[in-house]
Amino acid sequence: MLALLSVAELLGMSLWFAASAVSAQYQQMWSLTASEAAWLTTAVQLGFVGGTAVSAVLNLADIVAARRLFAGSALLAAGCNAMVLSAHGLDTALLWRALTGVCLAGVYPPAMKMIATWFRARRGMAVGTIVGALTVGKALPYLVKAIPGASIANVTLTASVGAVAAAVIVWRGYRDGPYAFPPRRFSWQLVGDVAREPRWRLAMGGYLGHMWELYAAWTWLPVFVAASVAAQGLDARTAGMRASVVAFCALAVGGAGCVWGGVVADRRGRAWLVNTAMMLSGACALLIGATFGRSLWLLAPVALVWGFFVIADSAQFSVMVTESVPAHAVGTALTLQTSLGFLLTAGVIQLVPLLEARVGWPWAFTMLALGPVVGIASIKVLTDKRVD
């Protein structure tokens, strides 16, 4: 079942960066600035925030069977993503990208709840594997883009076909495990009950620090790599291929980071793991600017280390959430967690190009290190005070 859900998440979440991977082509085709092109990613973030907010308020993840919610949402997301190809300008494309994000709210959080029904003692490893799979899935469009001659349509439709396959896999193959969470009736008060839980709030503090860094890094690291390679004077085709390969590897290596994080968290504790990962990823945010314009033999290792640790702790925040609220509220708690986290990312993604325009790429990522600092402080309070 872990393998089944991992494959489904990998395929379903490939929709996330389907437009971002070809943003350079959109920039050229529609004469967009870097900030305007960034909205191709930000629109998904905001759509996801809206979808998860509605899902949390309506308790959808706790009252609708996860199998139905996942499969239906994946199909709708695939359709919305494909409709981007019908757009003749940025406005229409952003509408379809936002709707794709809305639908993905029924793909990401439910999968974490679904796998939690199969694992208890090794839940960290299991959820880490799921998040690792979706991390590789989000990187997949960059791999497709690296294929010579790959067009916007190739990248877009490959992702949509993958999401359809994800829906079929879950609909035909998934069933709840022995630790299924009890269903409950709808309650307007459930979100409030979750938010009043002190352990949930402190775990959220760590998660928000992590999210401050994560999606801005994922969105702009490929652009940083491309600009760095171009600064070396290579021809456009060679530079583009090398940048796409490095970008794919830097994002995809996070899949291994998530699995490693889950295994280590189950052995050494989640707090130790998340604080270690945030410390190392924050250090990379500070250091990677020094590699700009230099050899890929210098840039690529820093990018890979950052890609590994920036996501290694993500699943463990979700596990902390499942362990900090009553069983009947787990789905809503996870959905609320992701909603607030992705709302934060939408703003940070837009900050990076503003900083790059003012101070250049060598310094544009440094402010991302603020997130890990705040996140580590919040988790330290959670563990030191042992909040009940």
Side-chain angles (χ1 to χ4, degrees):
M1 201 57 65
L2 180 58
L4 180 146
L5 283 176
S6 295
V7 171
E9 277 293 282
L10 187 153
L11 294 174
M13 297 304 288
S14 65
L15 299 173
W16 201 283
F17 288 128
S20 306
V22 289
S23 61
Q25 286 94 315
Y26 279 119
Q27 277 188 262
Q28 184 176 12
M29 184 169 64
W30 292 335
S31 300
L32 305 177
T33 65
S35 293
E36 288 173 331
W39 279 99
L40 292 167
T41 299
T42 304
V44 181
Q45 312 287 116
L46 293 176
F48 185 83
V49 168
T52 50
V54 171
S55 179
V57 171
L58 298 181
N59 312 163
L60 293 182
D62 288 310
I63 62 178
V64 177
R67 169 173 160 266
R68 293 177 180 273
L69 183 60
F70 185 108
S73 298
L75 287 176
L76 289 173
C80 291
N81 180 69
M83 287 301 295
V84 175
L85 295 176
S86 69
H88 297 292
L90 182 62
D91 291 345
T92 306
L94 293 182
L95 172 63
W96 288 115
R97 292 296 289 157
L99 290 174
T100 301
V102 171
C103 297
L104 287 175
V107 174
Y108 181 7
M112 292 186 289
K113 180 184 177 182
M114 291 156 74
I115 200 59
T117 69
W118 284 91
F119 291 84
R120 181 171 290 169
R122 302 183 67 194
R123 186 172 289 179
M125 178 278 298
V127 178
T129 302
I130 293 296
V131 176
L134 70 88
T135 300
V136 177
K138 288 180 179 181
L140 197 58
Y142 290 98
L143 181 61
V144 178
K145 173 63 176 60
I147 299 173
S151 65
I152 290 176
N154 296 146
V155 175
T156 303
L157 293 178
T158 298
S160 287
V161 170
V164 171
V168 172
I169 288 170
V170 169
W171 181 257
R172 296 295 299 271
Y174 176 77
R175 66 184 187 281
D176 281 336
Y179 308 115
F181 300 102
R184 65 161 293 147
R185 294 182 178 180
F186 169 75
S187 170
W188 287 112
Q189 299 179 350
L190 193 55
V191 170
D193 292 342
V194 168
R196 282 189 290 271
E197 170 55 56
R199 290 175 300 172
W200 180 86
R201 293 199 301 269
L202 288 170
M204 273 299 297
Y207 177 70
L208 292 176
H210 155 75
M211 291 296 280
W212 172 273
E213 179 188 19
L214 177 61
Y215 273 84
W218 274 357
T219 300
W220 291 108
L221 184 57
V223 180
F224 170 87
V225 173
S228 179
V229 173
Q232 298 177 33
L234 300 175
D235 65 272
R237 181 178 179 183
T238 301
M241 289 180 60
R242 290 185 181 181
S244 293
V245 170
V246 172
F248 167 76
C249 292
L251 270 62
V253 73
C258 288
V259 177
W260 172 85
V263 172
V264 172
D266 285 340
R267 292 178 179 175
R268 298 201 58 172
R270 301 192 212 296
W272 184 91
L273 182 280
V274 299
N275 284 344
T276 300
M278 284 191 286
M279 179 182 66
L280 293 172
S281 65
C284 289
L286 294 174
L287 292 173
I288 196 165
T291 70
F292 183 77
R294 299 178 182 273
S295 168
L296 281 179
W297 291 107
L298 179 63
L299 187 157
V302 179
L304 290 171
V305 171
W306 196 13
F308 185 92
F309 286 108
V310 77
I311 187 63
D313 51 349
S314 190
Q316 304 317 309
F317 291 113
S318 298
V319 177
M320 286 179 172
V321 165
T322 68
E323 296 171 343
S324 68
V325 297
H328 67 266
V330 165
T332 296
L334 287 169
T335 305
L336 182 61
Q337 171 203 13
T338 53
S339 180
L340 294 175
F342 281 86
L343 179 60
L344 177 65
T345 68
V348 183
I349 286 172
Q350 295 298 322
L351 281 178
V352 174
L354 297 178
L355 284 173
E356 188 277 327
R358 288 180 175 272
V359 299
W361 278 120
W363 297 99
F365 286 129
T366 55
M367 64 93 181
L368 297 185
L370 294 174
V373 171
V374 174
I376 290 171
S378 184
I379 297 302
K380 190 172 188 304
V381 173
L382 176 63
T383 54
D384 287 353
K385 293 189 176 182
R386 300 185 183 277
V387 178
D388 294 323

